[in-house]
Amino acid sequence: MSVKLRRSFYDRPTLDVARDLIGKVLVHERRGVRTSGVIVEAEAYVGESDPACHAAPGPTRRNEPLYGPPGLSYDYLNYGLHCLVNVVTEAQGAPAAVLIRALDPIEGIEVMRRRRARAAKGRTTPSRGLPDHDLCRGPGNLTMAMGITLAENRLDLLGERLFVEDRCGEVGRLAWGPRIGIRVGVDRRWRVYAANHRAVSATNS
C-alpha cells in the first residue's frame, strides 16, 4: 500500500528526515507518464551556519524556498548544467533541505533510459546501455531520468506532480559519510545511504 508522506514528516530535524527518506519512493508525474524510484542516497544541508547550504549567505531570491514551509521542492541548476532536486525540511524560517542523490528505479524505466540517452547524445558511452541501477545514480542523472526540471521548483510535495511515498521498502543497513561534490563543509558526515547498494555513488567513505 502506498501512502504519500505528510507535511509533518518534513517538519523535523533535517538529519532525521534524510535518514528516514532512505527506502521511501520519489514519484514524478509528467505529461501522463509516471517515473519513480526508491531513494537510496541523500544529503542534508542545514541552516546559515552550514557553509555548503545555499542559505549560508542569508536569504536571497534563489534560496527563498529553503525558508518556506516544510514539504516543498527546492530545485536549482548545479554549475548551470544539471537540475538537482531537494526537499525542504524543518519549520518555516529555518532554512534546510535534503538533496536526493540516488534512486533505485521502479516505474518508467524505459522512459528513464530514453531521457538519459537523449541527454548523453554524442558521448562515447551511450546511456541506452546502462543497467537499471545506474539510471538514477547521482543527483543530475536522477533528475534527467525522472524528467524533473526547474519547473518543479517550489512545488508542494503533498500535491499530485512530485511527491514521496512510503511503500514500506527495505533497503538494508544505512551508513553515513561526508557529503560529496562540494568544496566546503566536507567535514560534516551528513550523507546517508543504503550501504552496498549498487545505485549509490561510488565514494562511500
Side-chain angles (χ1 to χ4, degrees), residues 2 24-30 33-37 39 103 106-107 146 148 157 159-165 167:
S2 299
K24 302 297 190 290
V25 176
L26 181 67
V27 181
H28 185 219
E29 298 271 2
R30 182 181 182 188
V33 176
R34 170 181 284 221
T35 51
S36 70
I39 300 170
L103 305 176
I106 301 175
E107 298 169 285
M146 295 279 284
I148 298 172
L157 297 174
E160 300 300 323
R161 189 162 146 197
L162 180 67
F163 51 92
V164 182
E165 292 181 337
R167 300 188 189 179

Side-chain angles (χ1 to χ4, degrees), residues 11-196:
D11 189 9
R12 299 184 297 144
T14 306
L15 292 175
D16 291 346
V17 176
R19 177 198 63 214
D20 294 344
L21 278 171
I22 305 302
K24 302 297 190 290
V25 176
L26 181 67
V27 181
H28 185 219
E29 298 271 2
R30 182 181 182 188
R31 299 173 184 170
V33 176
R34 170 181 284 221
T35 51
S36 70
V38 178
I39 300 170
V40 295
E41 183 181 11
E43 287 177 339
Y45 292 86
V46 189
E48 295 175 356
S49 63
D50 178 0
C53 182
H54 283 185
T60 66
R61 184 174 181 180
R62 181 197 193 198
N63 69 25
E64 185 180 0
L66 289 176
Y67 292 83
L72 296 185
S73 172
Y74 173 49
D75 300 351
Y76 60 86
L77 284 179
N78 189 42
Y79 300 115
L81 296 173
H82 304 298
C83 179
L84 306 188
V85 61
N86 302 254
V87 299
V88 176
T89 57
E90 307 202 13
Q92 185 162 352
V98 175
L99 169 67
I100 309 301
R101 284 198 54 91
L103 305 176
D104 187 8
I106 301 175
E107 298 169 285
I109 291 175
E110 289 310 310
V111 174
M112 291 181 182
R113 196 176 304 283
R114 289 196 298 270
R115 288 171 176 164
R116 286 290 312 277
R118 285 198 299 269
K121 187 176 181 181
R123 297 182 188 174
T124 55
T125 305
S127 294
R128 68 184 61 183
L130 286 175
D132 292 355
H133 66 265
D134 272 343
L135 291 173
C136 298
R137 187 173 186 242
N141 292 330
L142 183 160
T143 53
M144 279 189 282
M146 295 279 284
I148 298 172
T149 69
L150 293 181
E152 279 70 51
N153 189 31
R154 303 171 185 258
L155 278 185
D156 190 340
L157 297 174
L158 276 66
E160 300 300 323
R161 189 162 146 197
L162 180 67
F163 51 92
V164 182
E165 292 181 337
D166 186 354
R167 300 188 189 179
C168 303
E170 292 293 333
V171 293
R173 182 176 65 86
L174 301 187
W176 291 84
R179 298 174 296 186
I180 57 180
I182 56 176
R183 298 187 178 92
V184 294
V186 293
D187 57 316
R188 306 184 190 203
R189 300 178 68 83
W190 288 356
R191 182 171 67 98
V192 60
Y193 54 92
N196 303 315

